[in-house]
Amino acid sequence: MKNRQTLTDHQASARAALKQRGVWVPGPVYPTVESAQAAARRVPLARQLSAYLPIGDFEAYGARCEDGGALWVRHVGGDGPALEPMPQRMTVRVPTYGSGPGYSGVGIVTVSIAPTCPVCGGPRGFDDVKADPFMRDGETFVRDRWANRCGHQDRYDLVLDEARRTPPAPGGKTPEDAPARKLPALAVPCTRCGAKAGDLCTSHNGARLRLVDVHRPRTDAWHAHRVKTVPAAALVLAAANRRDVNHGRQAADLLAAKGFTAEADAVETLLKIQNGHLSAKQTVTYLVERAETGRGGEA
Ligand SMILES: [Zn+2]
Ligand SMILES: [Zn+2]
């Protein structure tokens, strides 16, 4: 049977740990994270684990890994500098590529994740997080980049998934400062999970708060709500949905014909700036944003 942790396994990890004081090395893998954590509590006392004698010379932690729970140990005995404890969580900035009807673009969210690699349970590169600016659509964004010493590279989409699944850090991020709090879609209720206006979306029948995003139907509802409050945008969207207009050029003509003179002029100007590259749907987005920011020049 695999998953039997033998004395030899522990002796091997103790030997590896002794070679580099303070460096975490992998020990045996357990069927569950709970059993790995139970073993980790016995390591400093060398209780039933004589490989880690003398008492107090080794530290350990148990972490979730691909195959269950991984025990990681380090040697802390002997002479040397004081060693940093494992952090409870790590906080990183990651890019999202969210989109809604008429909207798309890059966003950056700050998330709290485990300090350990989800594949092997080894320490993530929490002590080596670097700001990584990048350009998209002429704008500069800053995400974080880090290398895990185990060699397993984290993927941003999986990091986001993990932040959604796992509870907020103890004493760290609370639902009050969750990144999702900043999403304008919170202004409308969610038809998917039943969250009220102003509340975070939830998963698993309300068991977990979604900290970094909201359900897609809620974003769509928010967009529809915004359009409804801007009559010129609502006019163009209705015509676009009927396929009466496809291009920004036709949208401008429709606006002028229906007496939305200021809006028609603004779209004309945008058409010139864009060299005529403007769809009816993009016109809707433009009109909504123009109304919300008060841009456009008229009183
Ligand atoms: Zn790893
Ligand atoms: Zn929801």
Side-chain angles (χ1 to χ4, degrees), residues 190-195 200-202 210 214-215 218:
C190 179
T191 52
R192 173 72 59 82
C193 68
L200 295 174
C201 274
T202 56
R210 293 176 74 102
V214 296
H215 287 117
R218 192 176 196 177

Side-chain angles (χ1 to χ4, degrees), residues 22-298:
V23 175
W24 292 105
V25 302
V29 171
Y30 292 74
T32 66
V33 67
E34 288 78 16
S35 46
Q37 285 166 343
R41 284 192 290 275
R42 303 207 317 265
V43 167
L45 308 167
R47 195 188 300 147
Q48 298 165 326
L49 291 172
S50 56
Y52 305 110
L53 284 167
I55 289 171
D57 265 13
F58 292 87
E59 281 181 358
Y61 70 84
R64 210 170 288 284
C65 70
E66 237 172 24
D67 299 318
L71 180 73
W72 281 70
V73 299
R74 68 175 177 179
H75 180 236
V76 296
D79 294 328
L83 297 167
E84 291 287 324
M86 278 284 283
Q88 294 225 335
R89 306 282 288 176
M90 74 187 267
T91 302
V92 287
R93 293 166 294 182
V94 298
T96 59
Y97 303 95
S99 61
Y103 293 87
S104 64
V106 183
I108 298 290
V109 292
T110 302
V111 296
S112 162
I113 54 173
T116 52
C117 168
V119 177
C120 69
R124 269 175 165 151
F126 48 77
D127 48 2
D128 192 25
V129 177
K130 291 189 180 74
D132 179 27
F134 66 103
M135 292 274 291
R136 185 64 66 91
D137 297 333
E139 250 191 283
T140 303
F141 298 89
V142 181
R143 64 190 166 197
D144 285 325
R145 189 171 278 288
W146 62 95
N148 301 331
R149 209 173 291 127
C150 59
H152 298 124
Q153 185 55 50
D154 280 309
R155 269 170 44 192
Y156 289 125
D157 56 334
L158 298 182
V159 164
L160 277 169
D161 279 349
E162 179 188 329
R164 286 184 196 111
R165 277 195 323 266
T166 54
K173 287 217 161 301
T174 63
E176 279 64 45
D177 58 13
R181 286 265 174 230
K182 297 206 181 88
L183 297 174
L186 282 196
V188 297
C190 179
T191 52
R192 173 72 59 82
C193 68
K196 294 197 198 82
D199 288 351
L200 295 174
C201 274
T202 56
S203 302
H204 307 285
N205 292 320
R208 279 190 185 135
L209 290 168
R210 293 176 74 102
L211 299 180
V212 299
D213 67 356
V214 296
H215 287 117
R216 180 63 180 269
R218 192 176 196 177
T219 309
D220 294 349
W222 165 241
H223 182 66
H225 171 83
R226 294 169 81 196
V227 171
K228 232 186 293 174
T229 60
V230 183
L235 173 74
V236 175
L237 183 62
N241 286 340
R242 290 194 308 269
R243 303 196 179 271
D244 289 350
V245 306
N246 295 309
H247 194 263
R249 167 83 264 137
Q250 298 165 303
D253 292 345
L254 175 68
L255 288 165
K258 297 283 181 183
F260 290 100
T261 316
E263 286 83 355
D265 289 350
V267 174
E268 292 283 1
T269 307
L270 184 60
L271 275 164
K272 257 177 231 144
I273 295 168
Q274 304 264 91
N275 287 323
H277 295 294
L278 186 70
S279 72
K281 290 276 168 93
Q282 286 169 332
T283 307
V284 173
T285 302
Y286 167 69
L287 289 169
V288 169
E289 285 175 354
R290 175 178 172 276
E292 287 177 353
T293 56
R295 272 185 289 120
E298 89 274 42

